Amino acid sequence: DAKTTQPTSMDCAEGRAANLPCNHSTISGNEYVYWYRQIHSQGPQYIIHGLKNNETNEMASLIITEDRKSSTLILPHATLRDTAVYYCIVSNYGGSQGNLIFGKGTKLSVKP
Amino acid sequence: GAVVSQHPSWVICKSGTSVKIECRSLDFQATTMFWYRQFPKQSLMLMATSNEGSKATYEQGVEKDKFLINHASLTLSTLTVTSAHPEDSSFYICSATPTSGSADTQYFGPGTRLTVL
């Protein structure tokens, strides 16, 4: 599976959009981009995933560049409860094959 | 939807005893469940893949005789830590993949904090 590179930490003001970048320059054609987050002492929470088109759900938006070498997770109106470690993972069978490789992620701190 | 539960949420045991952790998919069936371990200030590491009705597949370096996995139904997988030692103290997290619908997504349980004295 392709590796990802994320900033170690980011701050965001409450109510503002949080834009979390991820580089995955070695992604292959059949690999999806997954985003999970982990709030302290809890299990990871699925946020969103996509292949090449931009995706949006009730939690966030995922913007994938045309060459698929990078993506951005957007939390449109960050709240204090969004403070967590955010993991960007690329995987070709993220569900059934178990190959979700968690890196160090980005620690997002939402501040009042 | 796609809720995964774990029981217990935390457990403290004496060295040498065995501990069983349950993972349940509450509103979906899961042919495949996974077990991860997370040490303090580290990321999740996959321990094993559990398939209903068959033997689990363990990652390299994970002792199958120490970490017994049983996946007896489409909604339940158990992890038994046998002869636990203090170095087994960790946060154990399971995940499950729906057999239909969002079959390309893993949903995680809340985790079980194991402390071995």
Side-chain angles (χ1 to χ4, degrees), chain B residues 53-114:
Chain B
S54 63
K55 291 183 178 180
T57 303
Y58 292 82
E59 295 299 301
Q60 190 172 10
V62 178
E63 300 176 57
K64 62 179 181 180
D65 295 330
K66 181 170 182 62
F67 298 99
L68 301 179
I69 292 172
N70 184 281
H71 192 156
S73 77
L74 289 174
T75 59
L76 173 65
S77 175
T78 60
L79 169 69
T80 300
V81 183
T82 63
S83 187
H85 290 97
E87 57 265 30
D88 297 323
S89 297
S90 188
F91 193 47
Y92 291 87
I93 309 168
C94 72
S95 69
T97 301
T99 55
S100 62
S102 303
D104 56 353
T105 302
Q106 287 187 33
Y107 297 95
F108 287 81
T112 296
R113 177 80 56 193
L114 171 63

Side-chain angles (χ1 to χ4, degrees), chain A residues 3-12 17-25 33-36 47 61-65 68-75 85-90 104-109:
Chain A
K3 291 184 178 179
T4 63
T5 304
Q6 298 177 253
T8 303
S9 64
M10 292 181 64
D11 290 342
C12 177
N19 297 288
L20 291 90
C22 179
N23 286 319
H24 32 79
S25 59
V33 179
Y34 288 83
W35 283 85
Y36 284 82
I47 301 174
S61 294
L62 173 60
I63 308 299
I64 303 174
T65 58
R68 301 209 324 124
K69 293 185 177 181
S70 65
S71 60
T72 301
L73 178 74
I74 302 173
L75 307 179
V85 178
Y86 287 76
Y87 297 99
C88 169
I89 302 168
V90 292
K104 296 186 183 300
T106 296
K107 184 174 183 180
L108 175 68
S109 298

Side-chain angles (χ1 to χ4, degrees), chain B residues 6-57:
Chain B
Q6 284 185 239
H7 178 79
S9 55
W10 60 271
V11 56
I12 301 172
C13 70
K14 293 182 178 180
S15 184
T17 61
S18 295
V19 174
K20 180 186 284 188
I21 302 170
E22 293 186 349
C23 175
R24 294 182 184 272
S25 55
L26 298 185
D27 52 359
F28 64 96
Q29 293 186 327
T31 305
T32 306
M33 290 184 172
F34 307 92
W35 288 95
Y36 294 79
R37 181 167 54 182
Q38 185 176 32
F39 291 106
K41 297 189 177 181
Q42 294 187 23
S43 196
L44 282 77
M45 294 293 294
L46 180 66
M47 297 175 65
T49 301
S50 166
N51 290 296
E52 186 265 339
S54 63
K55 291 183 178 180
T57 303

Side-chain angles (χ1 to χ4, degrees), chain A residues 5-56:
Chain A
T5 304
Q6 298 177 253
T8 303
S9 64
M10 292 181 64
D11 290 342
C12 177
E14 188 179 19
R16 304 296 294 270
N19 297 288
L20 291 90
C22 179
N23 286 319
H24 32 79
S25 59
T26 60
I27 191 171
S28 60
N30 61 349
E31 287 183 316
Y32 287 78
V33 179
Y34 288 83
W35 283 85
Y36 284 82
R37 72 181 181 184
Q38 187 176 25
I39 296 170
H40 183 61
S41 296
Q42 297 183 25
Q45 178 187 20
Y46 166 78
I47 301 174
I48 199 167
H49 75 285
L51 184 62
K52 55 182 179 180
N53 296 323
N54 297 337
E55 302 287 344
T56 295

Side-chain angles (χ1 to χ4, degrees), chain A residues 78-100:
Chain A
T79 70
L80 299 179
R81 289 177 294 180
D82 292 322
T83 292
V85 178
Y86 287 76
Y87 297 99
C88 169
I89 302 168
V90 292
S91 175
N92 50 3
Y93 292 107
S96 60
Q97 302 299 314
N99 51 345
L100 287 182

